[in-house]
Amino acid sequence: MSPNKKVQPTIFVIFGGTGDLNARKLTPALYHLFLDGQLPEQFAIIGTGRTPLSDEQFRTRLLDGINQFSRTGKADKKAWSDFAEHMVYQASDVQEATTYQQFSKRIKGYEKDWDTEANVIYYLAVAPEFFPVIAGNLAKSSLTADAERTRIVIEKPFGHDLESSRELNKLLGQIFTERQIYRIDHYLGKETVQNIMAFRFANALFEPLWNRNYIDHVQISVTEQLGVGERSGYYDGAGALRDMIQNHLLQLLCLVAMEPPVDFTADEVRNRKVDVLRAMRRFAPEDVRESAVRGQYGDGWMEGKQVPGYREEPGANPTSNTETFAAVKFFVDNWRWQGVPFYVRTGKRLHRSASIITVQFKDVPHCIFPAETAESWQQNRLIISIQPEMSIRLQVQAKRPGLDMMLNTVDMVFDYKGTYTSQAPEAYETLLLDTMLGDQTLFMRGDQVEAAWDLIMPILNSWQGRASQSFPNYSADSWGPEVAEALIARDGFHWFTLPLNGKH
Ligand code: NAP
C-alpha cells in the first residue's frame, strides 16, 4: 500500500510458529516477499511453539507448507535455502517468563550482529485466550517499550462479543499505542477488495450515481462449499455471524458505503469506515426476526460425495444451536443511503464458493421499448467478484444483433486474469509488508471492531436466547435456508449468484 517505502531491518516473532496459520499463510507470504525482493537483508524470523524442534526440523516443516500451499507451487531449492537461513525456532511456552528472556537475548543478538536497531513484529498466530497472556508478558519483559520499533499483530477473532472486545482493546491500550496494534482482517488485503476503493475514488464515472437516487439495493454474499470439518471445536462457539459477518462482510459493506476520504492515509480511510458503522441502523430486539435469519446445514451430497450435517461433523455437539448460515438486512441511516437496503449473507456447505458484491441500480424512469423487445429485461447491475473469479462487471441492456429491435443483458467486464499477466499477491503478503512498513490502512482500528460488535449484538443476543426449532434447515449443496430467500423476496428481490464463467 505504501509505494517507494523500504522495509527497515526487521525481526518477526511468530507465536504459533508450529501452527496451521503459519504453515498455510504466514511463511508462504514471507517467502514470496523474499522472492520479490521486498525484505531487507537484515531480516529474521523467530518461530515459537511448545513442540520440541531443531531449527532444521522447523524449516523442513515449513518447506512442506510452502510446497503444499504456495501460490507459485513448489519452492525453488536455492531460493528456499537462502530464505530459510533467516529462520530459527525457539521451543517455549508463552505462559513462562523465561520465554520472553530468550526472545530478548535473541533480539539483542541480531541487533548486535547487524549493528543497528531493528523493528520487531510480534505476530500472535495462537488461540485468542493467549492474546492477553502474551501482551502482558511482552510488556513485563520490556519488549514493547520502544513504541516506534515494536508492533503486535493480532488475528481474528478479536473478542467474542462487544464486552470482550472492549476488554481486549483496553488491555492492549495499556501496553501499546494504537499505532503499534495491527488487527488483521485478511479480507482487506485481497486485491479485489482493495480495488473497491480504486474503482470508487479513482473514477469520476461512478461516484455521482453512488447513492440512494440511483441505487436500488446492495447485496454482499460470501458463500463456501466447505463444511466445518475438524474445526467444530472452534466454530461451535462462534457461528456465521461472529465468524464472518462481524468482520469480513461488514468491512466489505463499509468499503461500498463509505464517503470519499480526504486522502489515502490510514486514519482518514478508517474514520470514513467507522462513520458507516456508526450510521448503521441498530436493531431493537423485536426487529431481529424481521431483519436477520439463520441456518444450519444438514447432510447431503456435494459433487458426488455424501457429506455429514453440521451436527454430525467430527467432535460436533449433536444438539448444537450454532448457525452455519446467516443473512441480515442492514440500513445505513445517512443522506447518501437512506432507504437503500444492504443484504448480506454467508454460509457453509452451499452450492458454490464465491464472494460477490452486487450493486443493483434503479430501473429506467420510463421504458420506450415495447415489452416484447426485452428478452431478459434487467436493471443495471455492478458486480464486484472478489473470489474465486476476480472481476468487475457492469451489466447493461443492449440491442441483440439482428433485424429486429430486441434487447438483451450484456456484461462489460474487467477481468484481472485477462488484463494483467502478473499473479496477484496473496492477502497476507500485502498485509505483512504493510505491517513492516508501518502502514495501518488495511488493518482494523479498535473503535472499528467495537462498532461492528455493537451493531450485531442484538442479533447475537436474540439468537442465543431462543434456540432454533428448525435446525438443520438447509441441505448441503443448496443456497441456504428458505427463510433467507424470504428475507429478500419480501422486498421484491432475489439473491444474485454469478453464473459459472460469468456466462448468462
Ligand atoms: P493451530 O494450528 O491450533 O496452532 C496453534 C499454535 O499455538 C501452535 O503453534 C501451538 O504450538 C501454539 N500454542 C498453543 N499453546 C501454546 C503455549 N502454551 N505456548 C506456546 N505456543 C502454544 O491454530 P491456527 O489455525 O494456526 O490458528 C492460530 C490463530 O489464528 C487462531 O486465533 C485462529 O483463530 C487464527 N486464524 C487461523 C486461520 C487459519 O487459516 N488457520 C485463519 C484465520 C485466523 P504447539 O502445539 O507447538 O505448542
Side-chain angles (χ1 to χ4, degrees):
M1 292 288 282
S2 302
N4 308 324
K5 267 180 96 176
K6 271 193 80 175
V7 177
Q8 300 299 306
T10 299
I11 300 166
F12 247 93
V13 178
I14 302 183
F15 293 92
T18 50
D20 179 69
L21 182 68
N22 188 31
R24 193 184 284 273
K25 296 290 180 190
L26 306 184
T27 296
L30 289 168
Y31 173 63
H32 280 105
L33 289 172
F34 176 79
L35 292 183
D36 286 349
Q38 298 285 353
L39 300 185
E41 236 166 76
Q42 291 153 330
F43 172 72
I45 302 169
I46 308 172
T48 188
R50 289 160 309 174
T51 311
L53 294 174
S54 66
D55 289 348
E56 217 34 62
Q57 286 167 324
F58 178 61
R59 291 170 187 159
T60 307
R61 259 170 101 127
L62 292 171
L63 175 59
D64 290 345
I66 298 265
N67 289 340
Q68 208 179 329
F69 302 116
S70 154
R71 67 176 164 89
T72 51
K74 288 200 167 180
D76 173 82
K77 238 180 174 174
K78 164 88 173 73
W80 170 258
S81 128
D82 292 349
F83 172 72
E85 273 177 22
H86 296 261
M87 295 165 69
V88 293
Y89 181 71
Q90 177 180 311
S92 46
D93 193 315
V94 297
Q95 317 205 54
E96 286 170 15
T98 47
T99 302
Y100 302 85
Q101 290 158 10
Q102 285 171 305
F103 286 146
S104 176
K105 215 165 139 197
R106 282 179 190 269
I107 291 166
K108 282 186 189 135
Y110 282 119
E111 290 186 328
K112 189 158 176 254
D113 289 351
W114 297 343
D115 195 22
T116 182
E117 282 183 316
N119 288 347
V120 185
I121 296 169
Y122 300 100
Y123 199 112
L124 274 48
V126 288
E129 71 242 37
F130 291 124
F131 297 170
V133 180
I134 296 172
N137 277 323
L138 287 172
K140 266 191 229 150
S141 321
S142 306
L143 284 169
T144 53
D146 186 341
E148 287 304 310
R149 296 203 170 274
T150 54
R151 287 160 209 164
I152 187 165
V153 186
I154 299 203
E155 269 292 338
K156 80 164 207 194
F158 196 83
H160 189 67
D161 52 20
L162 179 59
E163 203 185 319
S164 55
S165 75
R166 276 189 182 145
E167 267 170 32
L168 183 55
N169 275 335
K170 197 168 151 206
L171 179 125
L172 292 174
Q174 289 160 357
I175 298 170
F176 302 94
T177 63
E178 184 62 35
R179 284 198 42 75
Q180 290 175 277
I181 308 172
Y182 290 70
R183 298 175 192 81
I184 282 218
D185 180 335
H186 75 275
Y187 254 64
L188 297 180
K190 288 182 186 287
E191 279 291 316
T192 28
V193 172
Q194 292 181 64
N195 202 26
I196 299 171
M197 268 200 285
F199 183 81
R200 283 195 58 198
F201 303 129
N203 296 295
L205 200 59
F206 298 101
E207 201 47 29
L209 307 179
W210 210 257
N211 56 55
R212 65 191 300 272
N213 298 327
Y214 296 95
I215 291 178
D216 191 29
H217 76 280
V218 176
Q219 295 182 23
I220 301 173
S221 173
V222 176
T223 58
E224 289 177 86
Q225 280 188 317
L226 279 179
V228 172
E230 306 280 338
R231 289 180 64 234
S232 51
Y234 156 73
Y235 195 85
D236 214 50
L241 195 63
R242 278 194 176 92
D243 195 45
M244 297 295 290
I245 293 187
Q246 188 273 342
N247 36 70
H248 308 319
L249 278 89
L250 281 178
Q251 285 305 307
L252 294 180
L253 191 153
C254 285
L255 287 167
V256 173
M258 70 197 271
E259 293 300 316
V262 171
D263 53 33
F264 197 51
T265 51
D267 266 333
E268 229 345 90
V269 170
R270 295 189 298 176
N271 285 343
R272 298 294 76 82
K273 288 189 185 176
V274 173
D275 287 347
V276 175
L277 290 168
R278 286 180 48 232
M280 288 178 75
R281 193 176 300 168
R282 268 34 188 179
F283 298 99
E286 61 274 17
D287 299 337
V288 169
R289 270 177 204 269
E290 275 291 297
S291 306
V293 298
R294 55 184 159 162
Q296 188 189 74
Y297 63 83
D299 59 0
W301 291 82
M302 294 208 70
E303 297 180 337
K305 281 197 193 127
Q306 196 163 18
V307 291
Y310 176 70
R311 292 174 178 180
E312 290 93 49
E313 294 281 14
N317 168 4
T319 57
S320 172
N321 188 44
T322 299
E323 81 285 355
T324 59
F325 179 102
V328 187
K329 174 177 161 183
F330 290 110
F331 283 101
V332 182
D333 284 335
N334 61 17
W335 276 48
R336 187 187 284 265
W337 295 114
Q338 191 54 240
V340 179
F342 286 74
Y343 302 95
V344 310
R345 72 166 173 179
T346 185
K348 294 194 178 292
R349 275 278 182 251
L350 298 178
H351 181 60
R352 200 177 308 143
S353 294
S355 302
I356 301 170
I357 300 171
T358 305
V359 178
Q360 176 152 315
F361 292 89
K362 291 194 168 163
D363 210 349
V364 292
H366 166 67
C367 183
I368 61 167
F369 302 102
E372 58 273 19
T373 57
E375 241 182 13
S376 60
W377 184 263
Q378 185 195 286
Q379 290 159 242
N380 297 138
R381 279 184 190 145
L382 180 80
I383 301 152
I384 301 171
S385 176
I386 293 162
Q387 61 187 26
E389 182 181 307
M390 294 166 66
S391 66
I392 298 179
R393 23 184 98 232
L394 185 61
Q395 297 191 322
V396 295
Q397 296 296 111
K399 181 187 175 305
R400 208 179 61 184
L403 298 176
D404 299 331
M405 180 50 132
M406 291 293 286
L407 300 175
N408 208 354
T409 305
V410 294
D411 287 10
M412 296 162 74
V413 186
F414 157 52
D415 165 32
Y416 278 69
K417 283 206 182 111
T419 309
Y420 299 112
T421 47
S422 61
Q423 250 198 9
E426 281 264 340
Y428 274 95
E429 292 170 46
T430 306
L431 295 172
L432 290 179
L433 183 60
D434 282 357
T435 312
M436 291 186 262
L437 293 171
D439 183 341
Q440 293 184 302
T441 312
L442 299 180
F443 294 82
M444 308 273 291
R445 214 170 50 191
D447 54 346
Q448 234 175 318
V449 176
E450 287 181 20
W453 277 119
D454 183 52
L455 178 66
I456 66 156
M457 281 318 292
I459 311 176
L460 278 177
N461 289 337
S462 165
W463 287 357
Q464 214 158 306
R466 121 184 109 81
S468 169
Q469 302 304 316
S470 60
F471 282 0
N473 60 353
Y474 70 98
S475 56
D477 204 25
S478 69
W479 281 113
E482 261 183 38
V483 280
E485 300 300 328
L487 175 83
I488 194 165
R490 274 202 299 273
D491 299 337
F493 309 128
H494 64 272
W495 292 107
F496 178 76
T497 50
L498 198 57
L500 270 185
N501 309 319
K503 301 264 183 328
H504 292 283

